[in-house]
Amino acid sequence: MPVIVDKAIYRDGSRHGCGDLSDELASLRERGDAGSFIWIGLKDPTDEEFALVNSELHLHPLAVEDAVNGHQRAKMEEYERSLFVVLKTLRYVEATSDVETGEVMLFIGDRFVVTVRHGDGNPLQGVRHRLELESGKLAHGPLAVLHSVMDSVVDNYLVVDREIRRDLEQIEEQVFGSAAGGDANTIYRLKREVLEFRRASQPLAETLHIYLERGSGRHLQDDARVFFRDVADHLRLVNDHVDNYDHLLTDMLSAHLAAVSVRQNNDMRRISAWVAIAAVPTMIAGVYGMNFEYMPELSASVHVGSGEFRYGYFVVLLAMGGICVGLYRAFRRSGWL
Amino acid sequence: MPVIVDKAIYRDGSRHGCGDLSDELASLRERGDAGSFIWIGLKDPTDEEFALVNSELHLHPLAVEDAVNGHQRAKMEEYERSLFVVLKTLRYVEATSDVETGEVMLFIGDRFVVTVRHGDGNPLQGVRHRLELESGKLAHGPLAVLHSVMDSVVDNYLVVDREIRRDLEQIEEQVFGSAAGGDANTIYRLKREVLEFRRASQPLAETLHIYLERGSGRHLQDDARVFFRDVADHLRLVNDHVDNYDHLLTDMLSAHLAAVSVRQNNDMRRISAWVAIAAVPTMIAGVYGMNFEYMPELSASVHVGSGEFRYGYFVVLLAMGGICVGLYRAFRRSGWL
Amino acid sequence: MPVIVDKAIYRDGSRHGCGDLSDELASLRERGDAGSFIWIGLKDPTDEEFALVNSELHLHPLAVEDAVNGHQRAKMEEYERSLFVVLKTLRYVEATSDVETGEVMLFIGDRFVVTVRHGDGNPLQGVRHRLELESGKLAHGPLAVLHSVMDSVVDNYLVVDREIRRDLEQIEEQVFGSAAGGDANTIYRLKREVLEFRRASQPLAETLHIYLERGSGRHLQDDARVFFRDVADHLRLVNDHVDNYDHLLTDMLSAHLAAVSVRQNNDMRRISAWVAIAAVPTMIAGVYGMNFEYMPELSASVHVGSGEFRYGYFVVLLAMGGICVGLYRAFRRSGWL
Amino acid sequence: MPVIVDKAIYRDGSRHGCGDLSDELASLRERGDAGSFIWIGLKDPTDEEFALVNSELHLHPLAVEDAVNGHQRAKMEEYERSLFVVLKTLRYVEATSDVETGEVMLFIGDRFVVTVRHGDGNPLQGVRHRLELESGKLAHGPLAVLHSVMDSVVDNYLVVDREIRRDLEQIEEQVFGSAAGGDANTIYRLKREVLEFRRASQPLAETLHIYLERGSGRHLQDDARVFFRDVADHLRLVNDHVDNYDHLLTDMLSAHLAAVSVRQNNDMRRISAWVAIAAVPTMIAGVYGMNFEYMPELSASVHVGSGEFRYGYFVVLLAMGGICVGLYRAFRRSGWL
Amino acid sequence: MPVIVDKAIYRDGSRHGCGDLSDELASLRERGDAGSFIWIGLKDPTDEEFALVNSELHLHPLAVEDAVNGHQRAKMEEYERSLFVVLKTLRYVEATSDVETGEVMLFIGDRFVVTVRHGDGNPLQGVRHRLELESGKLAHGPLAVLHSVMDSVVDNYLVVDREIRRDLEQIEEQVFGSAAGGDANTIYRLKREVLEFRRASQPLAETLHIYLERGSGRHLQDDARVFFRDVADHLRLVNDHVDNYDHLLTDMLSAHLAAVSVRQNNDMRRISAWVAIAAVPTMIAGVYGMNFEYMPELSASVHVGSGEFRYGYFVVLLAMGGICVGLYRAFRRSGWL
Ligand SMILES: [Mg+2]
Ligand SMILES: [Mg+2]
Ligand SMILES: [Mg+2]
Ligand SMILES: [Mg+2]
Ligand SMILES: [Mg+2]
Ligand SMILES: [Mg+2]
Ligand SMILES: [Mg+2]
Ligand SMILES: [Mg+2]
Ligand SMILES: [Mg+2]
Ligand SMILES: [Mg+2]
Ligand SMILES: [Mg+2]
Ligand SMILES: [Mg+2]
Ligand SMILES: [Mg+2]
Ligand SMILES: [Mg+2]
Ligand SMILES: [Mg+2]
Ligand SMILES: [Mg+2]
Ligand SMILES: [Mg+2]
Ligand SMILES: [Mg+2]
Ligand SMILES: [Mg+2]
Ligand SMILES: [Mg+2]
Ligand SMILES: [Mg+2]
Ligand SMILES: [Mg+2]
Ligand SMILES: [Mg+2]
Ligand SMILES: [Mg+2]
Ligand SMILES: [Mg+2]
Ligand SMILES: [Mg+2]
Ligand SMILES: [Mg+2]
Ligand SMILES: [Mg+2]
Ligand SMILES: [Mg+2]
Ligand SMILES: [Mg+2]
Ligand SMILES: [Mg+2]
C-alpha cells in the first residue's frame, strides 16, 4: 500500500511502530489510554485504496465520499464517531504570482487520526516531524494533531498573504509611480488570486467559529480550546488583509484606468494642438497661393522694385511664424502642450 | 391518469405495485410500519389532475396552490401533517451557454411522497431507479426520497457550476488573451445566468439551514441529519463559487471595457499622429506654392543656372522628408506609433 | 358619512347590516362569539371624519396619527388592544412604465376591522367581495380579513413584478440587440421604479417576519399561521426578484454606456481614417503644385513631348489613387473601416 | 447663570417656579410623587457653567465629559442613576442646500431632566411650550420630556428628508431633462449632505432599538413603550429614504457622466464629420491646382473653345459639391450630423 | 534589563518601588489587597528579554508568541489566568499625510499589568503619568490601567480622524474648487490610509463588544463597565467617520475622473472647432488656386479693368472671413468655444 505515506502509534507522545490496523486499534481502545492513538498519513488515495483503510476504521460514508472526490469547501463536519476536517492549503508560485490551492483532510477519531493530502506542497511531513519533537503536545491525543495541521496551514496563509501584499505594492508602484505603468490584466489576475485565497481562508474561519461556539469544540477544556482560538484569531487577521487587498485592487483598477485614459487624452490633445498650429500657415499659404493677378496687400512689393518685394514676402512668412509661435505659447499656457 | 408518471409502494426498501390510493394508504397506516410508503410521481399536473391525487392525500391547500402555479422560490415549508419542498433544478444548454431553471416539488407525508416535476430535464426517474437499488436507504421511509432528490439536484448544480466556470475561463482568455477580444454582451449574459443560478441555489441553502436548525429537521436522528448537512455543505460550496463568478464577471467587464477603450484610443492616437505627420509637408508645399515671383531661399536656384536649380528643389523635398522621418521617430519614441 | 365606503357585520361568515357602531360593538362583545365582527371600509378620511369613527372604536392615537397622515412605511404595529397594519399597494402604469404607490391601513381589533385606503387602485372592494363568497374563511374573524388584504396586495406585487421584468427584458433587447440602442435615461428610470417597488415590499417582509417570529403572530394557531407564512414566502420571492432587477440594471447601465462609447469611438476612428486617407493626395498635390519650374521627376514629361507628358501625370494620379487604396485596405484589415 | 435658558418644576403636569436646585430636588424626592420633576434647559454651557449644575445633580462624569465636549454620536447611554441621551438635530439651509447638524443632550434622572443644546436651530423651546399645554403627557414624568424631544427631532428629520428629496428631484430633472444639464459637483454635494443626514439618523435608530429591546426601555409599560416605538418607526422610514437617496445619487452620477460624455463625443463626431466633408474639395482642388500644363480630363475644355471651357470648370465644381452633399447625406443617415 | 522602560508597585493608587518580581508578586498575592498590583512597561522586547519577564509571570505561551511576533489584529483574548489585549496605535505624519500603525499589548493578571510597546509614538508614558495623578482610579487595580491605555489610544484615533477629515476636505476643495484640480493618486493614497485606519479601529470595536457582551467584561461592576462602554462608544463614532471617508473618497474619485475627462474633452472639442474653422478658408483658397484660366465668378474682375479687380478679390476674402466669423459664432452658441 504505497498510498500510505506514514503510519505510527503515539503513546504518551512518543512514536511506536504500527502493525495490523484493526489489531492495534482494538488494543488501544482496550487499554483506554486517552493520549494514545494511531496516525495514518495518506496521499492522493484512489477509491479502492481508501476503502482498504476504511475497512478497518469505519469512517462515515459521506466523509469518505468527500475525501475521495476532493474539491471540497473548508469545513469541520462532526459525525457520530469522528470529526471530519477539510483544509485548503495555499502555495504561492513566485514565477507566475499564482496562488495554488491544495487540500488536506483529517479524520479525527477516538484513537486514530487519518490525514489525507491532495496535490503537492502540503507541509504535513514537517508537521509530523515537529510534533514528534514535542511529546508533551502529542500526549494530548488526536486533537493535538488537528491543531498542529491547522496551525501550520494558517501560518502558511500568512506567508502567502505577505507575498500577495508584496505583489500588490509592486503594482501600486507601477500604477502610481512616475512612469504611470501597470496594466489592467495584472490587476485583474491578482484579484483573481486574492479571491482564490479568500475561498480557502474564509470558509475555514466560519467553520472553526461554529465548531468552537456551537459544535463539540465548545466542550474542549479551556487549555486546549485556547489553541484553536489562536488559529481562529490568525485567520481573522488573514481575512481582514484579504478583504483589504480586494478593495485596494478595485480602487487601483479605477485609478489605473483613469491614468491611462488621462495620458491617452493628453496625447490626443497634444497631437491635435500641433495639427491646429500647422493648419494656420497652410491656410495662409493657401490664400497667397490663389494666383490672383493683383493682390492689394502684396501689390506694393510684387509689381514694384525688388527691394520692397523681399519685405512683403517676409511679412507674410513672419506673420505665419508669429501666429504659430503665438498659438504654441497660448497652448502651453493652457497646458495643452 | 397519464399525469402520474410512476406510482409504487415501498416496503422495507423493496418495490410493490400500488392499487387504489386511499385503500393502500389506510392499510399502510394501520400496519404502522415506519419505513413503508407510497411514492407517486407527477409531471406538469393541471389543477384538476392534481385535485384527483389530492382528494386521497388531503395535502394543504396552500401547498397545492404553489404546486399547481409553479414558479416558486426554493423552500421547505412545514404544514401540520406534511412537509412541502420546492427545489429549482438547473440545466445547462451548451449551444447557448444558457442556464435553464426547472422545478421539482415534493410533498412528504407520514406514509407517502408525492414528487411533482415541472418542465423537462429533471432527473427524478434516475433518482427513483438508483434508490430502488439501495433498499437499505429506501427503508428509512419518505425522508430518504427527499434526501435523494435533493442530493441529485445539488449534484447537478455542481455540474452546471463546472460549465459556468468553463464559460468564465473562456471569456477570461478572450478578454485577457493576446487578441484582447471578448465583448460586453457575452459577459453580461453570463452574469445573468449566474444570477439565475444563484436564484435557485441560495434560497435552498437558506431554507435547508432553517429546516435543520429551527424546523423539524432539528429532531432528525443524527445519522439521518448528517445526510442533509452533507447536501447543505455542497450547497455552500456552490454558492461560494457562484458569488465568486459574479464578482469576477464584474471585474472582467471593467477590465474588458478598459481594454477596448485603450485600444480604440491607441488607434485614434496613431491615426492622428499620421495626419500630423502628413500636415507638415502639406504646409511646406503650401508655402512654396505661394507663387511669389521672388523667393529668397529659392531665388539662387530658380533664377540662376539649372545646376543649383536642382539642389534647391531637393533641399525642400529633403526638408519635408526629414521632418516627416523626425516626427515619425519622435512619435515612435513616445509610443504613439 | 360618505367617507365610509362600506360597513357590515359578519357572523359565522355571512354578512349582516350594521346599525349604530357602538351599540353593535357592545352587543358583539357581549355575545362573545369569536368569529363575529364589524368591518368598516374608509377611503381618504380627513382628520375629522376619522375622529367620528374613532370616537366609537377608541383606536390608539399614534395609529390614528399615522392613518391620517399617510406616507408611512409598511409595518405591523401591535398596540394594547389592536393591531395596526400599513401596507403599500403598487400599481403599474403601462403608458409610462411607472410604478405608483398607494396605501392601505388596517386596524384589527377584537370585534372589528377598519380598512383605510389612500389613493385609487386599491383592490379592497374585490377582496371583500371574494371573502363574502368564502364564508368558511370569514368565520375565522378579523385576522381572515387581514390575511385576505395582505394576500391580495402581495399577489398584486407579483403582477407588477412581471411587468417590471417585461420592461427589463425590453431594455435588454434594446441594449444588447443588433441595433445596440437603449438609453441611460430609461435604465435609470426603471431602476427608480425598482427602488420604489422595493420600498414597498421589503419593509413588509421585515415586519411580517417580526410579527410571526417575535410578535403576537407567534401565538397564532398553526393552521392560521401557515397562511401568513405563505404571504411571507411570496414576499421573499418578490424581494429576490427585485434585488436581481436592481443588479441587472446596474450591469446593463455599464454595458450600455460601454456600447455607446465603443460605437462613438468607432465612428470617430472611421471618420479620422477617411480624413487620413484624404490627407495623402492633398499632400502630394501640394508638392506637385509647388510651381518649381524644373521638377526632376516631372521634367521628362513636362518639357519633353506630349506622349510622355500624359504618362507622368497619370503616374502621379495613380500613385495618389494607389496610396489611397492601400491605406483603405490596411485600415480595413485593422478593423478601422 | 445666563447659560440656564429655562428652569421649572412640573407637578401633575403643571408648571411651578423652581428655587434652589438641591432643596427642590430633595423635597421632590421626599414626597415620592412619580410624575413631578425639575426641567432645566441649558445652552452651550462651558465646563465651569456645567459644573455648577452638576454639583447639585451628581451626573455621571463620562456623560458630563461628552456633554461638554459635544460632537458625539447619537446614543442612549444608561448609567446607574440616569439615562444620558445624545440627539443630532438637522437643519436644512435652503440657500446652499446644506444640511447642518446640531446637538441636543438630555440627562434623564428620577426627578429631573436636563436638556443641553449646542448650536442654534434646536426647537427645544417649542417642545417645552407644547408639552406645557399637554399636562396629561407631562404628568408621566421625565420620560415624557425625552419622548417629546425625540419626537420633535425626528419629525424634523422628516422635514429635511422632504427638502432633500426635492433637491434630488431637481437634479434628476436637470440630468434627465431635455437640456441634459446638471453637474457632478452638485450631485456629489447632495450625496455628502445625505451622508451627513444618515450620520445623524442611523445611529439614533440603532441606539433606540437597543434601548427598547435590551436596555431599560424593555421595562417601560406598554402604553409608554409604544410612543418610543412610534419614533423608532418614523426613524426607519427616514433611514429607508436616506439609503434610497444615496443609491439614486450614485446612479444619477453614472448616468450624468454618461450623458456628458455622449454629448461631447457627439460634438466631436459632428465637428470631425464637417472637417471630413471639407477635406474632399480641398483634396480635389489640390489635384486641379497642380499646374500640369496638360490635364487629360480638363484639356478638352481648357485648350479648346470657351463654350466647353465653362462646362469643364462647372463639372469639377459640381463634382465637389455633389460629393459634399453626398457625404452630408450619408453622415446624416448614420446619425453623425 | 534596559528593555524594561518602567516598573512600579501601586498600592491604593500610590506608586512604590518594585524589587524582585517574583517576591513582590508573592507578597501582593498573600496580602489579597485587590487594588494593589505591579505595572511593568516593556518596549520592543526580543524573544529572550521577554522570556526573563515571563519566567516570573507565567503568561500563556500563545499570548507570548503574539507579543514577540507583533503584527497582530486588535483583540482581547481571555486566557485562564490573564487577559491579553492587543491595541493598534495610530500616528498621523503631517509631511506625507501618512497614517502609521504601532502596537501596544497588555497582559492583565490578578496582581500585575505588563504593557508592551512596539514602535515609536505610543503615548504609554503619558498614560502612566496621568494615572499616577489620579490615585482614586489607580486603586481600582489592573483594569484601570487597561481602561486608561485604551481610552488614550482611542482618543488618539479621534485626533487622526480629524487630520484625515482635514486632508479629505482639502482634496474636496481641489477636486470641486474653481481650478478643478486634484489627482487620482492623492485620492487613492488617502483611501489607503483610511483602510489602514479602519484596520486598526474596527477589530477593536468588535473585540471590545464581545468582551463586554459575552466575555468576562460582562461580569464587571456597572461603575467600571460604563467606562469601557464609553471607549466602545467613541470607537463607534470613529468607525462611522472612517466608513464615511471611504465612501466619500470613492465618490470623489468618480467625480474627479469625470471632471478631468470633461475638461480634456472640452479642450479637444475647442481645438477641433478651431481646426474646422481653419479648414473652410483653406478649402476656398484651394478652389480659387485651381488655376483655371477662366473662372466665371472671377472673370469679370480678373480679365476686365483693375477697378473691378479689387472688388472680386475682396469678395472672396470677405466670404472667407464671413464664414469663419459665422462658424465662430455658431460654435460659441453651442458652447463649443
Ligand atoms: Mg490562477
Ligand atoms: Mg490561482
Ligand atoms: Mg500559528
Ligand atoms: Mg505556530
Ligand atoms: Mg511576487
Ligand atoms: Mg475620446
Ligand atoms: Mg437566459
Ligand atoms: Mg437562463
Ligand atoms: Mg451529493
Ligand atoms: Mg451523491
Ligand atoms: Mg459552455
Ligand atoms: Mg459531501
Ligand atoms: Mg416614478
Ligand atoms: Mg413611480
Ligand atoms: Mg397569494
Ligand atoms: Mg391567493
Ligand atoms: Mg411595460
Ligand atoms: Mg404560496
Ligand atoms: Mg456640507
Ligand atoms: Mg452639511
Ligand atoms: Mg412624530
Ligand atoms: Mg408628533
Ligand atoms: Mg432646496
Ligand atoms: Mg407614527
Ligand atoms: Mg497568536
Ligand atoms: Mg501608507
Ligand atoms: Mg500608512
Ligand atoms: Mg476618551
Ligand atoms: Mg479621556
Ligand atoms: Mg494633512
Ligand atoms: Mg464619552
Side-chain angles (χ1 to χ4, degrees), chain A residues 56-292:
Chain A
E56 318 282 356
L57 298 174
H58 307 292
L59 304 171
H60 196 281
L62 288 166
V64 170
E65 191 191 87
D66 288 348
V68 172
N69 284 346
H71 300 296
Q72 298 299 308
R73 198 176 184 256
K75 68 173 167 183
M76 302 179 77
E77 186 73 37
E78 302 190 54
Y79 295 102
E80 216 178 336
R81 280 160 39 192
S82 67
L83 173 68
F84 174 56
V85 180
V86 178
L87 301 172
K88 311 298 279 189
T89 58
L90 295 180
R91 204 160 69 97
Y92 180 81
V93 183
E94 185 55 49
T96 54
S97 293
D98 193 32
V99 172
E100 285 184 358
T101 308
E103 229 169 7
V104 174
M105 285 147 166
L106 296 101
F107 295 85
I108 313 289
D110 56 338
R111 289 288 177 277
F112 65 87
V113 183
V114 181
T115 49
V116 185
R117 185 171 132 195
H118 286 277
D120 303 312
N122 292 327
L124 281 193
Q125 190 66 34
V127 171
R128 190 190 283 258
H129 187 69
R130 280 199 303 277
L131 257 182
E132 286 175 355
L133 299 175
E134 273 189 90
S135 67
K137 188 166 179 186
L138 256 184
H140 282 94
L143 281 177
V145 176
L146 175 62
H147 173 264
S148 290
V149 172
M150 271 195 161
D151 181 56
S152 156
V153 164
V154 172
D155 280 359
N156 197 44
Y157 288 176
L158 285 162
V159 172
V160 177
D161 173 354
R162 216 155 27 233
E163 292 293 341
I164 295 269
R165 184 186 313 148
R166 208 167 292 159
D167 285 359
L168 186 136
E169 281 165 0
Q170 213 172 307
I171 295 179
E172 266 181 350
E173 216 155 288
Q174 284 168 9
V175 169
F176 295 112
S178 56
D183 68 317
N185 204 331
T186 312
I187 298 174
Y188 175 83
R189 279 222 201 98
L190 190 55
K191 252 197 126 172
R192 205 184 194 288
E193 300 310 305
V194 165
L195 274 187
E196 186 173 349
F197 195 143
R198 173 195 274 154
R199 210 155 57 212
S201 61
Q202 217 160 53
L204 184 55
E206 273 171 42
T207 201
L208 183 52
H209 179 81
I210 289 171
Y211 172 73
L212 287 173
E213 298 302 315
R214 297 208 304 270
S216 70
R218 208 175 12 155
H219 306 308
L220 282 177
Q221 278 176 291
D222 271 4
D223 59 343
R225 212 174 122 75
V226 92
F227 277 85
F228 286 98
R229 274 168 52 197
D230 178 63
V231 172
D233 178 57
H234 293 189
L235 266 173
R236 259 192 299 274
L237 180 70
V238 159
N239 283 327
D240 274 11
H241 287 179
V242 166
D243 274 2
N244 273 348
Y245 300 156
D246 193 32
H247 284 128
L248 284 172
L249 284 166
T250 301
D251 291 341
M252 225 186 291
L253 188 60
S254 297
H256 162 66
L257 298 180
V260 168
S261 165
V262 164
R263 208 175 51 234
Q264 288 186 321
N265 282 337
N266 270 341
D267 291 354
M268 282 302 291
R269 197 168 57 186
R270 185 174 296 128
I271 297 175
S272 299
W274 280 115
V275 168
I277 290 178
V280 170
T282 304
M283 182 190 72
I284 295 178
V287 171
Y288 288 99
M290 276 203 279
N291 296 318
F292 292 104

Side-chain angles (χ1 to χ4, degrees), chain B residues 301-302 304-313, chain C residues 292-295:
Chain B
S301 46
V302 172
V304 189
S306 66
E308 287 169 335
F309 187 79
R310 256 183 209 103
Y311 184 70
Y313 179 67
Chain C
F292 292 104
E293 280 173 25
Y294 176 69
M295 293 182 175

Side-chain angles (χ1 to χ4, degrees), chain D residues 257-283:
Chain D
L257 297 179
V260 168
S261 166
V262 164
R263 209 174 50 235
Q264 288 186 322
N265 282 338
N266 272 339
D267 290 353
M268 282 301 291
R269 199 168 55 185
R270 185 174 295 127
I271 297 175
S272 299
W274 279 115
V275 168
I277 289 178
V280 170
T282 306
M283 185 192 70

Side-chain angles (χ1 to χ4, degrees), chain B residues 62-63 65-66 69 72 75 79, chain C residues 230-231 233-234:
Chain B
L62 288 166
E65 193 192 87
D66 288 348
N69 284 345
Q72 299 298 309
K75 68 174 166 181
Y79 295 103
Chain C
D230 178 63
V231 172
D233 178 58
H234 293 190

Side-chain angles (χ1 to χ4, degrees), chain D residues 65, chain E residues 151 155 230 234:
Chain D
E65 193 192 86
Chain E
D151 181 56
D155 280 358
D230 179 65
H234 292 189

